[in-house]
Amino acid sequence: MSRPRNAARENGGRTRIATVSLAGCFGCHMSLLDNDERLVSLVEAVEFHRSPLVDRKAFSARCALGLVEGGCATDENVEVLRDFREHCDVLVSVGDCATMGGIPAMRNGIPLEECLAEAYRDGATTVNPTGRLPDDPELPLLLDRVYPCHEVVHIDHFVPGCPPSADVLWTVIQALLEGRTPELTGSLLRYD
């Protein structure tokens, strides 16, 4: 069983957690926010250390728990995911993009060159008289395909859904904060 270590606690006993959105839609973070008033008790128990929810983009301390939504479509996604694995005791793939590649992985059956040509040169609504592909060095490089997180780093837990419901995320986070393995059964795994 993977569980957060005590070393990743903030002064005052709050557990440090981190969240990130890679190649996805931010829907899993929205589901986390859908916990509404339960977030008050969560914020009393945790410090969101590195997260778009607090606009902190780098680790300055170890975190007990890392929640990752989205798969890896760029070299930057891989770098961020490896950084999360290095700095988080427990790492959780949240949502279908993180666990399976999701909608972004629909491009996996098409060679990257064809995807780029359709998007930037040959698309029905594309206007690009030069035919030039974006090549700014600040842009992350696209990978040959979209990879689910577990194909890049070791993942401790997987949370299905597109996106998983607020109740599912609440159940998983509470279990991990209490040192238990999350159990998702019955209505928590029903998507209709």
Side-chain angles (χ1 to χ4, degrees):
M1 171 176 76
S2 299
R3 57 190 291 191
R5 297 189 321 213
N6 288 335
R9 294 199 184 269
E10 180 67 17
N11 290 338
R14 294 189 319 152
T15 302
R16 279 190 295 269
I17 68 173
T19 71
V20 71
S21 182
L22 303 175
C25 69
F26 210 74
C28 297
H29 274 84
M30 296 307 295
S31 280
L32 177 61
L33 293 174
D34 282 344
N35 275 289
D36 300 326
E37 57 275 347
R38 290 189 288 197
L39 290 175
V40 174
S41 63
L42 182 62
V43 171
E44 291 171 355
V46 305
E47 174 207 353
F48 283 97
H49 180 71
R50 186 214 188 275
S51 174
L53 300 175
V54 294
D55 199 27
R56 190 175 297 160
K57 296 172 178 64
F59 288 99
S60 62
R62 185 139 195 92
C63 289
L65 178 60
L67 304 174
V68 179
E69 79 165 281
C72 291
T74 69
D75 61 343
E76 181 180 72
N77 295 152
V78 169
E79 182 180 319
V80 169
L81 182 58
R82 287 180 176 156
D83 193 38
F84 262 70
R85 179 70 278 173
E86 182 180 330
H87 288 92
C88 297
D89 295 338
V90 174
L91 199 56
V92 181
S93 279
V94 178
D96 291 348
C97 293
T99 61
M100 299 181 290
I103 297 294
M106 290 178 68
R107 78 166 169 95
N108 286 355
I110 305 167
L112 181 57
E113 296 74 26
E114 286 182 37
C115 290
L116 293 171
E118 181 68 21
Y120 296 105
R121 284 197 282 252
D122 306 330
T125 60
T126 302
V127 178
N128 182 356
T130 66
R132 184 171 172 220
L133 297 177
D135 62 355
D136 188 299
E138 293 293 317
L139 293 174
L141 295 175
L142 287 175
L143 301 176
D144 60 331
R145 66 184 192 90
V146 176
Y147 294 85
C149 294
H150 69 275
E151 289 186 17
V152 177
V153 301
H154 172 75
I155 298 293
D156 299 298
H157 299 281
F158 299 85
V159 180
C162 184
S165 71
D167 289 336
V168 166
L169 290 174
W170 183 257
T171 299
V172 168
I173 292 169
Q174 290 303 305
L176 291 171
L177 291 177
E178 294 168 6
R180 297 182 291 110
T181 299
E183 293 184 31
L184 300 176
T185 58
S187 64
L188 290 176
L189 291 177
R190 187 175 176 165
Y191 297 98
D192 56 289

